[in-house]
Amino acid sequence: MKIQHIFFDLDNTLWDHRRNAYLTIKDLFEKEEITLKYSIDFEEFHSVYHEINEKLWEQIRDGEIDKEYLRKHRFYDTFNRFGIDDLELSMFFEEHFLDKILNYNFLVEGAEYILEYLKTKNYTLHIISNGFQEVTERKCILSGIDHYFQTITSADSVGVRKPEPAIFDYSLGLSKAKKEESILIGDDWIADVIGAQQFGMDVIFFDVLNENKEAENLKVIKHLLQIKDYL
């Protein structure tokens, strides 16, 4: 059956979370004069934060922790790595991070072009995100891409995260789409690729980090414009 519905992951597939987060944390770091107070280099701090945050998101995806644990620990554990045990400081960063990150709304290169292209091809577009419900829609609105999507599903509204089949089932139900006429595009090997495949849905792996994963008949892109090779 011909593909009619395209489901996108949001963070780091369309909305450039890595870049937007980097700039937001840099602002907070400089505003609070962390280098001056604690002699910590920002690039080193961000590298540690990125490592810790990625691991925590993997644990959320796998159901090992909840978002409250992540929100308490990602900055706390980062500061702890530099010998600073200060919950108040880390929660200040957390609260202002979630608020200020939406001041930056850079998209992944080619995102707006490919969304416009797919719209002109009469595909119906959707979002399935593992992100927090309170920011998923605002990211789409503030970056100016919300009008491309018929439905936006965030994990919080379902109570489970990709790769769990229930979130795919919920999103397809919301969109009134059939599995066999749908495809997912995402950058996370487990959440997006394994999740979609186990659900029985076609998938394009956006291999933005050059993981070079291999699977039978797998569709892979390194740049969003390469979606045109498949759709």
Side-chain angles (χ1 to χ4, degrees):
M1 190 174 287
K2 187 173 181 287
I3 296 296
Q4 296 181 34
H5 294 267
I6 302 173
F7 293 80
F8 278 94
D9 171 58
L10 183 61
D11 286 347
N12 298 316
T13 298
L14 295 173
W15 197 83
D16 196 344
H17 185 273
R18 290 186 185 91
R19 183 179 181 186
N20 297 326
Y22 174 92
L23 293 169
T24 304
I25 297 167
K26 194 169 192 288
D27 284 348
L28 287 169
F29 199 87
E30 291 173 354
K31 182 174 181 292
E32 294 306 304
E33 300 182 324
I34 300 301
T35 298
L36 184 65
K37 292 175 182 175
Y38 302 104
S39 300
I40 302 172
D41 175 71
F42 172 72
E43 295 298 336
E44 190 178 353
F45 179 88
H46 179 264
S47 178
V48 171
Y49 165 82
H50 180 72
E51 173 200 330
I52 288 170
N53 188 56
E54 290 288 303
K55 177 62 179 173
L56 289 169
W57 272 106
E58 288 174 7
Q59 290 179 286
I60 275 195
R61 180 197 66 202
D62 298 341
E64 297 171 8
I65 61 171
D66 58 19
K67 72 175 185 179
E68 284 72 26
Y69 185 94
L70 177 141
R71 292 193 59 187
K72 181 179 178 181
H73 281 271
R74 59 180 166 186
F75 285 106
Y76 180 73
D77 291 358
T78 302
F79 277 111
N80 244 330
R81 194 79 74 83
F82 293 92
I84 301 163
D85 184 356
D86 190 333
L87 182 59
E88 185 177 350
L89 175 64
S90 61
M91 290 312 296
F92 174 88
F93 262 70
E94 176 63 31
E95 287 158 15
H96 285 77
F97 172 75
L98 285 181
D99 182 45
K100 302 295 185 185
I101 193 172
L102 295 175
N103 291 339
Y104 291 103
N105 281 286
F106 289 104
L107 297 172
V108 173
E109 185 179 3
E112 199 153 12
Y113 175 91
I114 202 65
L115 291 172
E116 190 64 35
Y117 168 82
L118 294 171
K119 268 293 189 185
T120 63
K121 292 287 187 180
N122 295 317
Y123 290 106
T124 305
L125 309 181
H126 312 270
I127 291 286
I128 307 180
S129 172
N130 270 359
F132 299 155
Q133 184 176 359
E134 60 266 31
V135 294
T136 297
E137 288 191 17
R138 289 176 67 200
K139 285 177 178 177
C140 293
I141 292 167
L142 293 172
S143 62
I145 60 173
D146 58 300
H147 64 282
Y148 288 108
F149 304 108
Q150 184 185 79
T151 67
I152 297 175
T153 299
S154 62
D156 287 353
S157 58
V158 190
V160 295
R161 287 178 157 74
K162 297 176 291 185
E164 290 297 318
I167 190 169
F168 294 98
D169 197 45
Y170 176 91
S171 193
L172 261 67
L174 193 65
S175 61
K176 299 180 171 57
K178 294 178 181 176
K179 196 183 298 188
E180 57 269 22
E181 61 185 23
S182 303
I183 192 166
L184 175 75
I185 301 170
D187 70 303
D188 188 296
W189 177 256
I190 294 176
D192 298 317
V193 178
I194 302 301
Q197 288 179 337
Q198 289 181 343
F199 181 66
M201 181 174 166
D202 202 0
V203 61
I204 296 174
F205 177 41
F206 182 24
D207 188 14
V208 67
L209 297 179
N210 293 311
E211 296 177 66
N212 296 314
K213 302 278 192 180
E214 293 183 8
E216 191 175 353
N217 300 320
L218 179 65
K219 300 176 178 70
V220 181
I221 59 171
K222 302 282 188 176
H223 190 286
L224 287 176
L225 298 191
Q226 293 175 316
I227 289 170
K228 295 167 73 173
D229 296 341
Y230 295 109
L231 296 167

